[in-house]
């Protein structure tokens, strides 16, 4: 989740620097069409996550959500380094390659694993990650 937040922050900083990225200014689509496109994209992403086929704001062309995220990540990579938070974007590569948590859970369930066990394992993994992150943060504050 932190990676997505960092990506959005980088994109907003990029938009501030380059107003040509503003869909209302640079899209070939009308503002009403952009609203319709946004609603459809949100619905598709909610249903299919990274595998969703979205419509690009520039011209309405189809693009896979994972491809679009990868494209934007590449566009903001240098800026995120300049701003000191590129490390937070790094997990996106793994997420795009392996899928997000919900997709991995569904894949396990589709492979016949018990839903309860999948969720118990996921909860334990998150708890372990939080503990590890807390330890790292505390170490850096003490050092």
């Amino acid at each position: 989740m932190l990676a997505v937040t960092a990506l959005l922050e980088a994109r907003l900083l990029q938009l501030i620097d380059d107003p040509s990225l503003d869909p209302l200014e640079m899209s070939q689509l009308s503002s009403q069409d952009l609203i319709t496109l946004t609603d459809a994209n949100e619905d598709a992403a909610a249903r299919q996550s990274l595998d969703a086929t979205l419509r690009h704001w520039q011209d309405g062309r189809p693009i896979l959500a994972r491809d679009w995220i990868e494209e934007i990540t590449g566009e903001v990579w240098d800026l995120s380094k300049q701003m000191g938070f590129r490390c937070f974007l790094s997990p996106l590569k793994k997420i795009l390659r392996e899928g997000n948590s919900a997709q991995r859970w569904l894949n396990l369930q589709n492979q016949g694993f018990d839903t309860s066990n999948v969720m118990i394992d996921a909860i334990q993994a998150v708890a372990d990650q939080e503990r590890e992150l807390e330890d790292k943060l505390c170490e850096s504050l003490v050092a």
Side-chain angles (χ1 to χ4, degrees):
M1 188 61 146
L2 190 56
V4 174
T5 303
L7 180 64
L8 291 173
E9 181 174 346
R11 188 58 162 189
L12 288 171
L13 291 169
Q14 190 181 40
L15 175 61
I16 290 168
D17 267 1
D18 183 1
S20 71
L21 296 172
D22 183 349
L24 291 174
E25 298 294 325
M26 300 306 294
S27 179
Q28 297 174 9
L29 307 173
S30 70
S31 58
Q32 186 56 49
D33 287 341
L34 284 170
I35 292 170
T36 302
L37 178 142
T38 300
D39 289 343
N41 282 351
E42 288 176 357
D43 185 54
R47 293 178 191 276
Q48 297 176 302
S49 191
L50 295 172
D51 296 325
T53 298
L54 308 176
R55 300 285 173 187
H56 201 288
W57 63 265
Q58 289 174 326
D59 53 14
R61 73 182 179 276
I63 186 169
L64 281 178
R66 73 176 64 249
D67 293 342
W68 202 351
I69 293 168
E70 188 172 13
E71 179 182 304
I72 293 170
T73 302
E75 292 172 4
V76 301
W77 194 250
D78 290 338
L79 174 64
S80 66
K81 180 179 181 184
Q82 292 170 2
M83 301 304 290
F85 60 87
R86 180 189 286 176
C87 60
F88 294 108
L89 294 179
S90 297
L92 283 175
K93 292 179 182 186
K94 182 178 180 183
I95 293 168
L96 294 174
R97 187 177 60 251
E98 298 178 8
N100 61 33
S101 297
Q103 288 176 304
R104 290 191 307 273
W105 299 338
L106 289 172
N107 285 337
L108 289 170
Q109 185 183 28
N110 290 336
Q111 293 172 22
F113 288 90
D114 178 67
T115 303
S116 296
N117 289 336
V118 169
M119 296 311 303
I120 289 168
D121 291 346
I123 291 167
Q124 184 60 52
V126 169
D128 292 344
Q129 288 172 348
E130 287 180 355
R131 222 176 354 269
E132 182 181 328
L133 180 59
E134 181 179 316
D135 290 343
K136 286 181 180 180
L137 287 173
C138 290
E139 284 174 14
S140 67
L141 292 174
V142 173

